[in-house]
Amino acid sequence: MCTTVSPPSNTISKSYTTINNLLNDSLIEIFCRLSCKSLFTCKSVSKHWCAIISDLNFHFIYLTHQHRLLQNLQCEEKDIDQHSYILKPYNALVITSKVPSLQFGCSENNLSLNFLGSKFNPTNEVQLRSILKCVFGCCNGLLLCGNPRRYHKCIYYVCNPLTKESIELPCAPSNCDPNGVLVGFTCDPYYHIEEDKVSIVAPKRLFRVVNIPAFSNTKTTFNVEVFSSETGKWNEHVLLCPKGFSCGFSLTSSCVEHDGVLYFTSGRKILIYNPYKNEQVASVIDHPSEFGEAYRGCVGVCCGRLQLSEFPISRSNNANIRPYSGRVWELDSHQEWQIVHEFYIPDIIGSIFDKLQAIEREHVRGSSRILAFHPYLKGTIFLEFGDHIICCNLLTQEFKASKYGGLSLGFLPITPVVLPWWPTTISSFL
């Protein structure tokens, strides 16, 4: 007969702690150290995890944690950026900071527009040229993509390359002019950081897409088409521009967004248009009088200020400007341009200059230019030179160079893609 012996009554049974019975505070500590992409995966593990990650209070804690980590990197004078790269084969430059929310492996292998379908996955340069400028704008992590063709109505997509969400907009009212179209995009952010304080924007947000068919003559009134997310429709307006603007599309025509305002560049003028506040009036600012070559520079935003650059690679009309030298202007509070940087690129990149110059002359035929300004590093530009993308800090004279192996960008305007610490979801606009 088998006898069962019971353990002594004073024996303490062991207890085990697993991730399933952790307190919410402990889970939040763990979640704050994950990338946003991993967090979105964790939402499908259980209803409990999904509730924590979806809670606005957690978003506030998570974003505050990312902000503090970035501040620590800056105080330690460490490199705060991951590798920046072109979103091949498109005209988009991806810029990401070294915070946990964006540490999801090599983002170069994780981001693409393939989920939009085959027409957004050109496999050769002829196909890339046929779609003109596939990425028209980026705002708070959302991209505006499109395939405007001459004599056809423009079709645009708003998408998030991280979450793979997208919506197709209704066709724009007018056909594309043979000379092209200027396009702008702005959307409300999910969060704000001001004076080191994080705030979450209301769940219901808005976006606008602005379409300006090209015209060659200077006009004080012209047509503009605005898509509004809250109505889901395009509206046509006659835009009043007292100083006059010429909207002749060229490869240097581009649009920059800052705080909901759109800055359209064409020729030697910049059109300032706010599609939220006054849809029927725009203003214009001229380039600086001493400004030279527009097609090797760019307009952009650095640390909250509008900036303009030039980068001649050959002798200009100004004998004082050397080839491969550059200048950067900043728009002050009085709407006046002030020179903030002058530089000579051989002095910055040193020994690799001759090598890249030889590559440029042999293979890429003089396409060197300033691509973009760094959005949050003062005095920093991105430069295309030879077959490399060079990130130059004009204040410290430091640089990082990486080889670009995609299709030639020619002189297509480059759209900086800055990934936010928390994805802006498409559904919040619907």
Side-chain angles (χ1 to χ4, degrees):
M1 183 175 67
C2 181
T3 303
T4 302
V5 180
S6 299
S9 58
N10 60 350
T11 302
I12 300 174
S13 59
K14 294 181 179 179
S15 62
Y16 297 92
T17 300
T18 69
I19 197 167
N20 293 319
N21 55 25
L22 286 177
L23 296 175
N24 284 357
D25 288 347
S26 299
L27 284 173
I28 288 173
E29 283 290 324
I30 295 171
F31 290 158
C32 280
R33 286 160 172 77
L34 298 180
S35 70
C36 55
K37 188 172 183 179
S38 297
L39 281 174
F40 273 61
T41 302
C42 288
K43 290 174 70 174
S44 62
V45 171
S46 70
K47 291 182 179 179
H48 179 54
W49 284 20
C50 183
I52 293 175
I53 296 170
S54 302
D55 187 75
L56 291 181
N57 187 54
F58 170 72
H59 297 179
F60 172 79
I61 296 171
Y62 184 82
L63 291 167
T64 301
H65 180 68
Q66 310 307 310
H67 181 54
R68 287 173 180 168
L69 289 176
L70 188 64
Q71 285 183 314
N72 290 339
L73 287 174
Q74 291 173 322
C75 291
E76 295 170 4
E77 297 184 351
K78 292 183 178 179
D79 187 359
I80 66 172
D81 270 354
Q82 298 183 53
H83 166 65
S84 298
Y85 60 91
I86 296 293
L87 182 61
K88 302 172 186 176
Y90 312 107
N91 56 311
L93 176 67
V94 180
I95 304 168
T96 51
S97 58
K98 286 182 179 177
V99 293
S101 69
L102 300 175
Q103 296 284 351
F104 43 82
C106 179
S107 59
E108 197 164 357
N109 297 327
N110 281 279
L111 293 180
S112 77
L113 301 182
N114 294 348
F115 63 95
L116 293 176
S118 58
K119 58 182 173 292
F120 284 93
N121 188 28
T123 56
N124 57 59
E125 196 159 340
V126 174
Q127 290 182 12
L128 182 65
R129 291 292 175 266
S130 70
I131 61 174
L132 292 179
K133 187 184 178 212
C134 185
V135 179
F136 284 95
C138 176
C139 187
N140 297 307
L142 297 185
L143 304 185
L144 177 69
C145 308
N147 185 7
R149 294 180 296 161
R150 293 181 178 183
Y151 307 111
H152 290 72
K153 293 185 181 297
C154 297
I155 300 176
Y156 300 110
Y157 297 79
V158 176
C159 68
N160 188 319
L162 277 181
T163 63
K164 311 299 182 186
E165 293 179 293
S166 68
I167 55 171
E168 179 180 338
L169 306 186
C171 291
S174 63
N175 291 339
C176 274
D177 186 274
N179 294 317
V181 63
L182 284 180
V183 183
F185 173 60
T186 178
C187 74
D188 291 340
Y190 181 61
Y191 63 91
H192 282 296
I193 297 178
E194 189 172 354
E195 296 182 355
D196 295 335
K197 293 183 179 180
V198 177
S199 58
I200 305 293
V201 180
K204 187 64 177 179
R205 295 185 296 281
L206 312 176
F207 73 76
R208 296 284 190 275
V209 177
V210 177
N211 201 54
I212 306 178
F215 53 89
S216 55
N217 298 327
T218 299
K219 297 182 178 181
T220 56
T221 59
F222 47 88
N223 294 331
V224 61
E225 302 162 354
V226 180
F227 179 84
S228 170
S229 61
E230 58 267 40
T231 65
K233 297 179 180 179
W234 289 91
N235 292 310
E236 298 181 71
H237 305 283
V238 176
L239 194 63
L240 175 63
C241 181
K243 290 186 65 175
F245 186 68
S246 175
C247 183
F249 177 81
S250 70
L251 291 179
T252 57
S253 301
S254 62
C255 179
V256 172
E257 185 275 345
H258 180 50
D259 286 344
V261 179
L262 298 174
Y263 298 85
F264 294 94
T265 303
S266 183
R268 297 179 64 87
K269 293 179 181 291
I270 298 175
L271 181 75
I272 306 174
Y273 181 54
N274 189 328
Y276 291 113
K277 291 186 176 180
N278 196 336
E279 295 181 320
Q280 298 181 353
V281 177
S283 59
V284 166
I285 52 175
D286 294 312
H287 285 183
S289 58
E290 67 272 28
F291 185 80
E293 295 184 355
Y295 67 93
R296 296 194 186 278
C298 70
V299 176
V301 176
C302 180
C303 298
R305 305 301 294 266
L306 190 72
Q307 295 189 337
L308 171 70
S309 65
E310 68 170 3
F311 183 65
I313 66 170
S314 58
R315 288 290 177 187
S316 65
N317 294 331
N318 188 337
N320 297 321
I321 303 299
R322 294 180 291 178
Y324 298 100
S325 63
R327 295 185 289 181
V328 176
W329 289 262
E330 186 172 278
L331 195 66
D332 64 21
S333 57
H334 303 290
Q335 299 286 285
E336 299 288 338
W337 293 107
Q338 306 294 336
I339 288 184
V340 290
H341 303 292
E342 295 184 80
F343 62 93
Y344 183 49
I345 202 63
D347 289 344
I348 299 176
I349 65 175
S351 59
I352 69 169
F353 174 80
D354 291 337
K355 175 186 174 182
L356 295 184
Q357 185 184 43
I359 293 173
E360 175 200 39
R361 289 174 175 173
E362 183 177 355
H363 299 291
V364 294
R365 298 184 295 277
S367 64
S368 297
R369 57 181 172 139
I370 297 174
L371 299 176
F373 296 101
H374 199 293
Y376 49 83
L377 285 183
K378 189 175 181 179
T380 303
I381 60 171
F382 291 94
L383 180 75
E384 179 186 5
F385 187 29
D387 57 352
H388 280 61
I389 304 297
I390 303 175
C391 179
C392 296
N393 188 316
L394 303 178
L395 297 174
T396 64
Q397 301 285 289
E398 296 175 325
F399 74 95
K400 293 185 294 185
S402 57
K403 190 171 183 178
Y404 168 62
L407 300 175
S408 172
L409 294 169
F411 284 99
L412 288 172
I414 296 300
T415 299
V417 175
V418 182
L419 298 178
W421 300 340
W422 189 272
T424 304
T425 58
I426 300 289
S427 58
S428 63
F429 294 95
L430 302 179

